[in-house]
Amino acid sequence: MSRKLITLSSLTLALVLSACGKKEEAAPVAEVVVVPSACKKEEAAPAAVAVVVPVPTTDDSNAWKQFLGSVAAKPQYQEVVVDRTIPYFLPANSRTPDNLPDTEESSPYTRQMEVVQPAIARTVTKGQLLVFGSPDSKGMADFIVEAFAGAQPTAIKGSHVLFIGKSEDAERVKAVVEAAGGGFLFEEIE
């Protein structure tokens, strides 16, 4: 089985399982898809057909996760993956107040930042594809810019970032990704 087919299957399975009966609050902040290292790039790959789910017209997180997973599984994006694909998703309105009264809860934005920022600071292994997407393109672009602030020039050298968002947000994301040594990929949503 080819690496691309395994990645596509794993990513799709992870997104489908995340949509099965879980409440929004209980969903994991980040899902990691690991591709077995036994797969070799030289193997002849069967023609994999990427089925892209249409862009959701609502802020439904499950629909967005399925859409983002289908975009990330496209062959042109999977061909840059040598190690693994790591998707990061922020639901709409992720920037709710961080200090909710009398609780220990924080916003999805803050929880996700607590995962991404340290990963970028300690550098990302070569060959990874970091996929960022949200129904709120501007909010996700703000998130990426903040997460990459102060990153070393080699923080993601040899890896790529796929930003799935609006064109008006792409240039500032591209700037911080390239400043951290990574390759920038962009999928426009309207």
Side-chain angles (χ1 to χ4, degrees):
M1 205 175 234
S2 77
R3 175 177 293 245
K4 292 176 185 176
L5 189 55
I6 291 170
T7 302
L8 174 63
S9 299
S10 298
L11 187 57
T12 303
L13 180 61
L15 290 171
V16 168
L17 289 176
S18 72
C20 294
K22 289 186 178 181
K23 292 182 179 179
E24 181 68 24
E25 306 81 53
V29 175
E31 297 173 23
V32 178
V33 177
V34 178
V35 177
S37 60
C39 297
K40 295 183 179 166
K41 265 252 194 258
E42 297 81 39
E43 293 177 359
V49 178
V51 178
V52 178
V53 174
V55 178
T57 57
T58 67
D59 289 340
D60 176 55
S61 290
N62 290 329
W64 274 93
K65 287 177 185 178
Q66 290 175 352
F67 165 69
L68 297 170
S70 72
V71 171
K74 286 182 171 182
Q76 71 260 34
Y77 301 132
Q78 287 303 305
E79 71 185 20
V80 302
V81 179
V82 176
D83 189 12
R84 66 184 101 197
T85 300
I86 305 173
Y88 296 102
F89 170 77
L90 286 175
N93 303 317
S94 292
R95 289 195 121 177
T96 55
D98 289 343
N99 300 318
L100 301 173
D102 301 322
T103 68
E104 293 182 15
E105 294 182 51
S106 60
S107 72
Y109 187 99
T110 301
R111 288 191 306 270
Q112 190 75 288
M113 188 62 68
E114 290 169 355
V115 172
V116 177
Q117 214 167 31
I120 301 302
R122 70 175 176 265
T123 70
V124 173
T125 306
K126 289 182 180 179
Q128 293 190 25
L129 175 63
L130 308 177
V131 181
F132 292 89
S134 172
D136 178 8
S137 177
K138 182 184 180 315
M140 182 53 90
D142 292 344
F143 175 86
I144 297 168
V145 169
E146 183 180 340
F148 279 71
Q152 296 179 11
T154 58
I156 60 171
K157 184 179 179 183
S159 289
H160 290 78
V161 169
L162 169 58
F163 173 59
I164 304 169
K166 295 185 177 179
S167 60
E168 60 262 22
D169 301 315
E171 282 306 312
R172 61 196 180 106
V173 172
K174 180 180 181 183
V176 297
V177 169
E178 290 179 348
F184 178 74
L185 303 168
F186 176 61
E187 178 83 16
E188 184 173 10
I189 55 174
E190 297 177 20

